[in-house]
Amino acid sequence: MKTGLNATRLAIAAFIVPYIFVFSPIMLFIGEYTAFDVVRIRITITSFCGMFLLGAGLIGFMLRKLNMVLRLVCIAAGLCMIDPGAFTDMIGAVILVVMIVYQVMLNKKEKVQTA
């Protein structure tokens, strides 16, 4: 059972990526787009960040171990960034930056206390 749950957590990205393509057909080169257009667009960057947050929330680790509340926040922010709207992308990006800054500060605080 434990192996099955870990496999599901790791494979959730493969399940969600097709939905990103449905929301953003430009990523499948539908229309007159070049590879440069697809790489530089906001949708690609936010989708990658959203998958990172979703993975971190499901696995329970980003720069350090996440508690249950932070895991739920990461999952919600990841789903916000996968949705192609500008408002949801802003919410997810702010949460991503806050999470990274928070974890870096905790790591520095822990290093100071152990030294």
Side-chain angles (χ1 to χ4, degrees):
M1 194 66 174
K2 187 175 181 180
T3 303
L5 286 173
N6 281 333
T8 302
R9 286 186 213 149
L10 292 172
I12 195 74
F15 177 72
I16 291 180
V17 168
Y19 291 102
I20 296 172
F21 291 141
V22 169
F23 286 135
S24 310
I26 187 176
M27 292 178 72
L28 293 174
F29 297 105
I30 295 176
E32 295 186 18
Y33 300 102
T34 63
F36 182 72
D37 292 332
V38 173
V39 170
R40 86 182 158 137
I41 59 172
R42 175 185 50 86
I43 296 168
T44 305
I45 295 167
T46 58
S47 295
F48 285 144
C49 291
M51 292 306 298
F52 169 74
L53 281 169
L54 192 61
L58 290 174
I59 297 299
F61 188 87
M62 190 181 289
L63 299 174
R64 59 183 297 129
K65 190 171 178 165
L66 299 171
N67 62 24
M68 188 55 71
V69 173
L70 294 178
R71 290 175 78 169
L72 292 174
V73 169
C74 281
I75 291 170
L79 292 175
C80 282
M81 290 189 84
I82 290 171
D83 183 34
F87 182 69
T88 56
D89 289 346
M90 294 280 286
I91 292 171
V94 167
I95 292 173
L96 174 63
V97 169
V98 168
M99 289 290 295
I100 289 176
V101 167
Y102 176 70
Q103 291 205 342
V104 167
M105 288 174 55
L106 283 178
N107 282 341
K108 285 184 180 181
K109 183 179 178 182
E110 188 175 283
K111 284 182 183 178
V112 169
Q113 288 178 351
T114 58

